[in-house]
Amino acid sequence: MPEPNHVLFQASLANFNPHAATTVDFANDDRAPLLIVAGGKDHVVPAVVAKANYKLFAKSNAITELKEYPERTHWTIGEAGWEGIADDMLQWAVAKSASFVGKQ
């Protein structure tokens, strides 16, 4: 059983090990479709950070999209009207999953 500090140790040395368990392959063409959701009023993960992540993951040929909700905070699910956002994401996932399943 791994020790609790093992994850912290891996993350702290990730920059020195190109094959670290915490390494992200942004150019992975075989990954599932990815929707990055940004909230314009999010102060935990600002939209600029979501956009930067989008640019990194968009290097892949896999489906990668960014959707920004300018009036939303980080806690969208706790705000009024969250159902509409959830419906948007579900529709996106259903539409994109068909193209992903076809690739398998």
Side-chain angles (χ1 to χ4, degrees), residues 18-94:
H19 305 292
T22 55
T23 301
V24 176
D25 181 6
F26 294 106
N28 181 2
D29 294 334
D30 295 326
R31 67 167 166 74
L34 175 63
L35 175 62
I36 298 175
V37 179
K41 294 182 177 180
D42 188 343
H43 297 293
V44 177
V45 181
V48 68
V49 174
K51 290 174 186 175
N53 280 327
Y54 168 75
K55 288 180 183 179
L56 289 170
F57 281 102
K59 294 175 182 178
S60 166
N61 290 326
I63 296 169
T64 307
E65 294 182 18
L66 172 69
K67 177 71 175 168
E68 184 175 353
Y69 295 93
E71 296 301 315
R72 297 310 225 170
T73 67
H74 188 74
W75 191 244
T76 293
I77 197 164
E79 297 175 27
W82 67 269
E83 299 90 345
I85 308 296
D87 286 342
D88 288 350
M89 292 180 203
L90 179 60
Q91 289 172 5
W92 183 91
V94 169

